[in-house]
Amino acid sequence: LTLSFVRAATRARPMNEERFPEAREVGGVSIDSRTLRPGDLFIAIKGPNFDGHDYIEAAVKAGAGAVVACRDDVPCGDVPLLLTHDALEALSRLAAAWRRQVNPKVVAITGSAGKTTVKEMVALCLGRQFRTHATRGNLNNHFGVPLTILAMPSDCEVLVLELGMSAPGEIAHLARLAEPDIGLITNILPAHLEAFDGLGGLDGIARAKGELLEHLPVTGLAITPHHDGYEALYHQLTPCTLRCISLHPMAGERHLPHAWVEPDGGVGDLSLARRVDRDVDLFGVPWRYQGEHMAFNALAAAEVAFAVGATQQSVVDGLAGYRPQSGRWQMLESTEGWTVIDDTYNANPGSMEAALRTLAAQAPEGHRVAVLGDMLELGVNSTDLHEALADVLVRCGVERLFTAGPQMKALHDAIPGTPGVTSHYRAQTSDWIGGIASHLKAGDVVLVKGSRGMKMEQIVKDLVG
């Protein structure tokens, strides 16, 4: 990026214009002086709990190549300063301009759960054929998405973006920046319900996630789940072709085209099927993961990769090479003989049920243990949603339950009288450190899961060492 490009894209006004080096290049874009690299453009974003203007001096000392700010009384020294009325808007404008300059094929992925997993799988599949750039970690909000776009190299062929949200309108904003060609909704589950109290609950979440589909071009492709009951809504929202994905085959001509997980397909550890022009293509993937949700994630990633133009071999090799990130269903062995499943990255009712079902498939009866922390941001229905997990625990054969957090107290209180389940409760996650191992035995499989704010990884470390 040159400073002339930054100036034009952000519509910022350079100070000391007679000395403004228009041709100077900046190495990257940063909003954090702690991670800024020498030569980066520093944009002084103001958030609810911080003000980037307070860190301009630190950014300059770290070697910032230029600064975008909203005030001219900042300690920039000889570093070029561009003034704007809104630094966040400047960041967004710059990202949108760079996306158009590079002009890659853009994939955007949203949903209540599975976004990061599917994004990683898609990047693996596409990276075997195309110069691919993807969201790192979960930088999926109004800060992370533009930064991801701006980190894209100039020769990028495919950009894979994860779009997150906590309120209506956020997906629409991110989609306007990204201008995606292909949009995927992984699922609609109870998550971030606090922001949707009074706005329709799950229906409100579906409409908000559907903002992605509204911003696809007529020539684009929307890939959506069939089983969540919002297919009619998706058809209304998107101007482009819609392709359905499902855990099971879908009967009827109206569902063409679609893809599904083929049970007992016999062509690999995981059998995937897709219908295109009335022909069915069945192929297998070497697979090491249990659970329908992981099979569905693989199917979703495969459909995205095929839509971009990946070969079947690239898809198979990419999916076979997937390994979970930290906190996403990592199976860890303890020296005492039990297995800990680290699924601590986050939790909502849908992902919690999926995790418990997968635990049941992986652990023998008598060895299923769950350590669960609060599911946060569920709004007025939080108590009911936590209580409802009692029935799931029974169906999944969990015999020992350890809970932490004020919301999980509702689940603990619902357990008495529940056949076969012994429950233990403590108010905070840290209260369980050193208090669970004595209840475990060799051969146990222990699922540890909760919302990010519960810091359930403390328990994983305690149980595994």
Side-chain angles (χ1 to χ4, degrees), residues 59 80 138 152 218 277 306 359 372 459:
N138 68 326
M152 169 179 58
V218 174
D277 297 330
F306 282 130
L359 171 66
L372 307 181
I459 292 178

Side-chain angles (χ1 to χ4, degrees), residues 291-346:
E292 289 185 339
H293 65 297
M294 286 299 289
F296 184 81
N297 288 341
L299 175 69
E303 283 306 295
V304 170
F306 282 130
V308 172
T311 64
Q312 187 175 105
Q313 192 60 54
S314 292
V315 171
V316 171
D317 291 345
L319 293 177
Y322 170 75
R323 299 293 181 271
Q325 294 180 315
S326 177
R328 299 177 189 273
W329 206 264
Q330 286 190 309
M331 300 190 70
L332 308 170
E333 302 297 329
S334 74
T335 56
E336 291 83 358
W338 54 73
T339 300
V340 176
I341 299 174
D342 180 0
D343 203 32
T344 58
Y345 175 74
N346 218 335

Side-chain angles (χ1 to χ4, degrees), residues 277-291:
D277 297 330
R278 301 182 183 277
D279 294 325
V280 174
D281 182 20
L282 181 66
F283 64 99
V285 177
W287 199 240
R288 61 176 64 196
Y289 307 105
Q290 298 290 325

Side-chain angles (χ1 to χ4, degrees), residues 13 16 195 213 259 320 355 438:
R13 177 171 60 90
N16 301 321
L213 308 187
S438 62

Side-chain angles (χ1 to χ4, degrees), residues 111-428:
S112 299
K115 297 184 293 296
T116 302
T117 297
V118 174
K119 177 259 300 179
E120 293 293 327
M121 291 179 178
V122 169
L124 285 170
C125 295
L126 294 176
R128 296 178 177 273
Q129 281 183 249
F130 306 98
R131 292 187 293 273
T132 303
H133 181 73
T135 301
R136 292 184 179 180
N138 68 326
L139 292 174
N140 60 21
N141 63 7
H142 54 299
F143 298 143
V145 171
L147 288 173
T148 298
I149 295 173
L150 289 164
M152 169 179 58
S154 59
D155 64 348
C156 178
E157 295 177 300
V158 183
L159 174 63
V160 184
L161 294 172
E162 176 183 333
L163 308 187
M165 69 160 207
S166 56
E170 292 183 5
I171 295 294
H173 168 69
L174 299 177
R176 283 192 293 270
L177 296 184
E179 297 181 2
D181 302 287
I182 299 166
L184 166 69
I185 295 177
T186 59
N187 46 45
I188 303 299
L189 301 171
H192 301 300
L193 281 174
E194 279 184 340
F196 293 87
D197 286 346
L199 295 176
L202 275 181
D203 292 346
I205 291 177
R207 286 190 294 272
K209 298 293 187 184
E211 292 168 6
L212 169 59
L213 308 187
E214 293 179 292
H215 288 81
L216 294 173
V218 174
T219 56
L221 176 68
I223 302 173
T224 62
H226 170 64
H227 55 268
D228 66 2
Y230 290 104
E231 187 178 356
L233 173 65
Y234 299 147
H235 273 289
Q236 293 172 6
L237 292 177
T238 184
C240 65
T241 299
L242 189 146
R243 186 169 179 82
C244 293
I245 49 178
S246 174
L247 282 167
H248 309 287
M250 295 176 282
E253 297 295 315
R254 72 186 184 89
H255 291 305
L256 299 175
H258 66 276
W260 63 93
V261 178
E262 181 68 24
D264 303 319
V267 295
D269 299 329
L270 176 65
S271 297
L272 305 180
R274 57 196 317 265
R275 184 185 293 276
V276 181
D277 297 330
R278 301 182 183 277
D279 294 325
V280 174
D281 182 20
L282 181 66
F283 64 99
V285 177
W287 199 240
R288 61 176 64 196
Y289 307 105
Q290 298 290 325
E292 289 185 339
H293 65 297
M294 286 299 289
F296 184 81
N297 288 341
L299 175 69
E303 283 306 295
V304 170
F306 282 130
V308 172
T311 64
Q312 187 175 105
Q313 192 60 54
S314 292
V315 171
V316 171
D317 291 345
L319 293 177
Y322 170 75
R323 299 293 181 271
Q325 294 180 315
S326 177
R328 299 177 189 273
W329 206 264
Q330 286 190 309
M331 300 190 70
L332 308 170
E333 302 297 329
S334 74
T335 56
E336 291 83 358
W338 54 73
T339 300
V340 176
I341 299 174
D342 180 0
D343 203 32
T344 58
Y345 175 74
N346 218 335
N348 59 49
S351 66
M352 190 73 83
E353 181 172 352
L356 290 167
R357 289 201 311 266
T358 306
L359 171 66
Q362 291 189 261
E365 292 185 10
H367 291 276
R368 299 169 189 168
V369 182
V371 184
L372 307 181
D374 284 354
M375 302 178 290
L376 303 176
E377 299 181 37
L378 295 182
V380 296
N381 296 314
S382 182
T383 298
D384 292 342
L385 291 168
H386 281 81
E387 287 179 350
L389 289 176
D391 292 336
V392 180
L393 290 164
V394 172
R395 292 199 307 270
C396 295
V398 174
E399 293 189 344
R400 279 163 289 164
L401 170 67
F402 302 86
T403 54
Q407 299 301 311
M408 274 295 168
K409 183 67 161 56
L411 173 60
H412 173 71
D413 291 344
I415 292 299
T418 301
V421 183
T422 301
S423 178
H424 309 269
Y425 171 77
R426 292 186 181 177
Q428 300 181 44

